[in-house]
Amino acid sequence: IVSALTVYNNKLILGGYFNDAEGIQVNYIAQWTSSSGYSPLGSGMGGSQGQVMALSVYNSELIACGFFTSAGGISANHIAKWNGTSWSTLGSGISWITYALTVHNGDLYAGGVFSSAGGVSAHDVAKWDGSSWSALGSGIGGGPYGYVFALESYNGSLFAGGIFTTAGGISAENIAKWDGTAWSD
């Protein structure tokens, strides 16, 4: 299963629930070009589950997020960056599964089902400014779930979609808008 695609350094990057690509060991993430075919990005992702759920490009680096707890053999809690040669962390990472990534107003946003990012309390959505994580108000939640599966920048606001009933403590049925200061339905 391929769950994420993006382009990085003129290569198609694939992430998902796979360990090999045409017989080449890739561990949940691979790059592809029409001239070279598939190749790994270092030793790929790992942990008890290494699946990659979303990919994005931020500050000229490839960002991957998902179920994994290691990237390229180093500890990387559910999010990591690839600079073209090696994997590294974004602070101390995210506390649990991360499903969505987007870039909005020059910052990277991650969404999923988690309670903290970089050790900061952040419910299901968080912002990375290039050096540290921060919360978006009181985040997403409510009901039996609080999952963010999609993030997108549109008309100056950040939109979050998923399975939830509140955003920032107000009623928001599965989609909400962050204006940089507060959530609205």
Side-chain angles (χ1 to χ4, degrees):
I1 297 171
V2 174
S3 55
L5 296 168
T6 197
V7 174
Y8 176 71
N9 286 345
N10 297 317
K11 296 175 183 170
L12 180 64
I13 309 298
L14 304 84
Y17 295 71
F18 56 87
N19 284 312
D20 71 75
E22 292 187 343
I24 298 167
Q25 186 74 32
V26 293
N27 296 326
Y28 308 103
I29 191 164
Q31 54 192 351
W32 182 86
T33 64
S34 57
S35 60
S36 304
Y38 291 102
S39 59
L41 279 76
S43 59
M45 306 316 201
S48 64
Q49 296 180 330
Q51 297 94 330
V52 172
M53 300 307 296
L55 298 165
S56 188
V57 176
Y58 173 70
N59 285 348
S60 301
E61 294 180 305
L62 172 70
I63 310 297
C65 71
F67 288 70
F68 60 85
T69 55
S70 68
I74 64 164
S75 178
N77 292 315
H78 309 286
I79 193 163
K81 60 186 177 178
W82 172 258
N83 64 9
T85 27
S86 62
W87 289 101
S88 59
T89 63
L90 280 75
S92 60
I94 296 176
S95 64
W96 209 38
I97 303 166
T98 311
Y99 289 104
L101 294 170
T102 198
V103 176
H104 172 70
N105 291 341
D107 294 314
L108 178 72
Y109 290 81
V113 55
F114 53 83
S115 60
S116 67
V120 174
S121 179
H123 294 279
D124 305 323
V125 64
K127 177 177 85 169
W128 173 257
D129 65 8
S131 60
S132 63
W133 288 101
S134 60
L136 280 67
S138 60
I140 302 292
Y145 303 102
Y147 287 60
V148 173
F149 289 125
L151 293 169
E152 188 59 64
S153 180
Y154 177 70
N155 279 350
S157 296
L158 175 73
F159 287 80
I163 304 172
F164 53 86
T165 58
T166 64
I170 64 162
S171 181
E173 201 67 34
N174 303 320
I175 187 165
K177 178 173 77 168
W178 174 256
D179 66 7
T181 306
W183 287 100
S184 61
D185 63 352

